[in-house]
Amino acid sequence: MPPPSPPRPGPFAPLPPDFAETGSPGGERSVLRYAGGLLRPVLPELVHGALAELRTASAYYGDPVLAPPDLAESAREALDVFVGGLVDPGRTDESGEHAWRTGLRRAADGVPLRAVLHAYRIGGVRLWEALVSLVVRERPERASALAFAASDVWRRVDRDTALLAEAHRRAAARLPDLAVRRHLPVLRMLLRGHADPVHVSAFAVSLGLPVAGRYAVVLLAGPGAARAETDPVREVRDGVPLYWCPLDGATAVVAHLGDRPELPAGLIAPGPADRGGVSTVVEGLAALGRGHELARLALAACPANGTLHRLGDRLSRAFAVARPDLAGAVADQVLGPLRTLDPAERAELLTTLAAWLDRGGSTRRAGELLYCHRNTVLNRLRRLERLTGRTLSNPRDVVDLAMALEAEDITAPAARTP
């Protein structure tokens, strides 16, 4: 709770110089501008201390898996705009606008209002304590002016807290399946690798999902991947329950597959400017963290916008993404001789190899894909064999060439010195 406004000084109390000339309102503004200037250089230290206290005082924020990933950045912005309003009266509204946006975002994330208000109270107290301490240390003769400024500071804190709470309530009231949305923090914990057996069993009851079920994780990224606040968190498509969860700048989808061998095709489609990655099937809720890692790997290997890349379809590509150092070594060892060619010729040979692999080793079908005769494809492949020392009739050599081709694509050969 904000402290009560301090009483006005008695008739014999000395007034700061500002008050003697302009009256108490001008003096309050003057000392707050001065104090705000002192606070700015120590804001990182102030944020660090506030976060340390919050993580100790709050079980919600104290859990590194459960706490919002942008907590530190949000706290820094909140204190920065508040101090900016002290220094420049024209920026007074900025902290209120930030509080409103924070309330909307935390409601959509499923963070309880009590936890968000707790964070704001700790930040307000820490800011006021730092403000008083700095003024007393640097200009003790002006410390008495803070008595008049206290009410102004805490009115701003109260305003921001009220805006935060109202935004959170409005956003929560608009959400169609609020009961499920409250489970978002639980989903985040599982997706970030929280696998304590006792907790997982409790999460299973809370979510209504089997502990030992079969799951796939989808990760969507791009300008259109974020869902609207009013979109459902849980929905059923083609008999598959899907749980949508904003996570670390992307949108994760947990799919309970039941007895299906994999995620049905076309069930989730990214927008034209977005990309998606699908994990292989993972067994049990405790494995959702692993599923998230695999989906992120599949997302990184996604070849084009508007597509959903399944990790199991091209594990060789996933290897190249997961270990770019080894992938680069494979590309250098197998395809190194091609680096001496003209770039256009090198690209032609690699494109022909890719078409031949994509068409199951058929020169005729590869030619149809490339709009050239099968003999042209055959001649290019023979030249590739001579340059690399690999033979396409040898399965091990084909594996080497396929892996090297994936690695060449992932590790951006143009960035390396020929």
Side-chain angles (χ1 to χ4, degrees):
M1 293 290 294
S5 298
R8 290 287 184 177
F12 299 104
L15 295 174
D18 306 81
F19 288 88
E21 296 180 4
T22 62
S24 62
E28 292 171 21
R29 288 193 296 270
S30 175
V31 73
L32 289 179
R33 284 197 300 272
Y34 175 72
L38 294 177
L39 275 172
R40 275 182 163 165
V42 298
L43 270 181
E45 184 180 332
L46 179 60
V47 171
H48 179 78
L51 290 176
E53 180 180 348
L54 177 62
R55 289 173 177 136
T56 301
S58 169
Y60 188 94
Y61 288 108
D63 190 321
V65 180
L66 190 58
D70 65 340
L71 178 61
E73 179 64 18
S74 180
R76 185 198 64 76
E77 289 180 1
L79 290 172
D80 182 63
V81 295
F82 193 94
V83 172
L86 298 180
V87 176
D88 180 3
R91 297 181 58 192
T92 301
D93 293 341
E94 290 184 16
S95 63
E97 293 168 357
H98 183 275
W100 184 269
R101 292 193 300 271
T102 300
L104 296 176
R105 185 169 66 253
R106 295 297 181 239
D109 290 345
V111 181
L113 176 58
R114 186 189 322 182
V116 187
L117 291 175
H118 192 177
Y120 256 69
R121 291 190 189 102
I122 286 178
V125 171
R126 280 274 178 167
L127 184 142
W128 175 250
E129 290 175 347
L131 186 150
V132 172
S133 176
L134 287 169
V135 172
V136 169
R137 186 186 71 188
E138 300 295 330
R139 294 287 297 276
E141 74 279 4
R142 302 192 65 183
S144 59
L146 290 174
F148 301 103
S151 61
D152 184 39
V153 172
W154 286 104
R155 278 198 305 270
R156 298 187 196 196
V157 173
D158 285 346
R159 176 204 62 184
D160 293 354
T161 304
L163 288 170
L164 171 80
E166 181 63 19
H168 193 286
R169 291 189 187 101
R170 289 192 188 184
R174 291 198 307 268
L175 302 177
D177 52 350
L178 183 59
V180 177
R181 190 168 291 269
R182 292 195 183 104
H183 297 147
L184 281 175
V186 171
L187 284 171
R188 287 197 187 91
M189 290 183 72
L190 291 169
L191 289 166
R192 289 175 182 158
H194 193 87
D196 180 273
V198 175
H199 290 166
V200 170
S201 63
F203 294 162
V205 173
S206 174
L207 294 168
L209 292 170
V211 173
R214 300 174 68 258
Y215 299 92
V217 178
V218 181
L219 203 60
L220 302 171
R227 306 197 93 205
E229 293 175 1
T230 53
D231 287 341
V233 169
R234 181 186 183 277
E235 59 180 318
V236 179
R237 296 184 182 178
D238 194 22
V240 179
L242 302 176
Y243 289 77
W244 299 75
C245 178
L247 185 69
D248 302 336
T251 297
V253 190
V254 176
H256 177 213
L257 300 178
D259 58 358
R260 292 172 177 79
E262 61 181 11
L263 187 75
L267 198 66
I268 299 173
D274 304 326
R275 298 185 180 210
V278 185
S279 74
T280 51
V281 176
V282 295
E283 300 287 342
L285 280 179
L288 287 186
R290 174 63 176 162
H292 175 222
E293 292 178 6
L294 296 175
R296 188 167 291 280
L297 191 59
L299 176 63
C302 187
N305 287 343
T307 60
L308 196 67
H309 180 68
R310 293 173 181 266
L311 186 68
D313 290 347
R314 296 275 287 272
L315 287 174
S316 58
R317 190 174 182 88
F319 160 76
V321 172
R323 290 299 303 268
D325 54 338
L326 293 181
V330 170
D332 289 339
Q333 183 181 58
V334 178
L335 301 177
L338 272 64
R339 306 253 166 79
T340 61
L341 301 178
D342 176 84
E345 183 181 5
R346 180 172 68 240
E348 183 180 71
L349 293 180
L350 294 177
T351 300
T352 302
L353 174 62
W356 183 80
L357 291 169
D358 288 341
R359 291 299 181 266
S362 169
T363 53
R364 179 184 62 79
R365 295 174 61 201
E368 292 172 354
L369 181 64
L370 298 172
Y371 301 102
C372 63
H373 194 274
R374 63 179 299 274
N375 288 340
T376 302
V377 174
L378 190 59
N379 289 334
R380 292 175 185 172
L381 292 177
R382 285 173 177 168
R383 176 159 170 71
L384 182 74
E385 287 178 323
R386 289 195 299 271
L387 288 168
T388 62
R390 265 73 176 180
T391 304
L392 294 177
S393 60
N394 184 333
R396 288 186 181 274
D397 287 350
V398 173
V399 170
D400 286 347
L401 287 165
M403 289 290 293
L405 188 64
E406 295 283 18
E408 187 80 355
D409 183 37
I410 292 295
T411 55
R416 296 198 297 268
T417 303

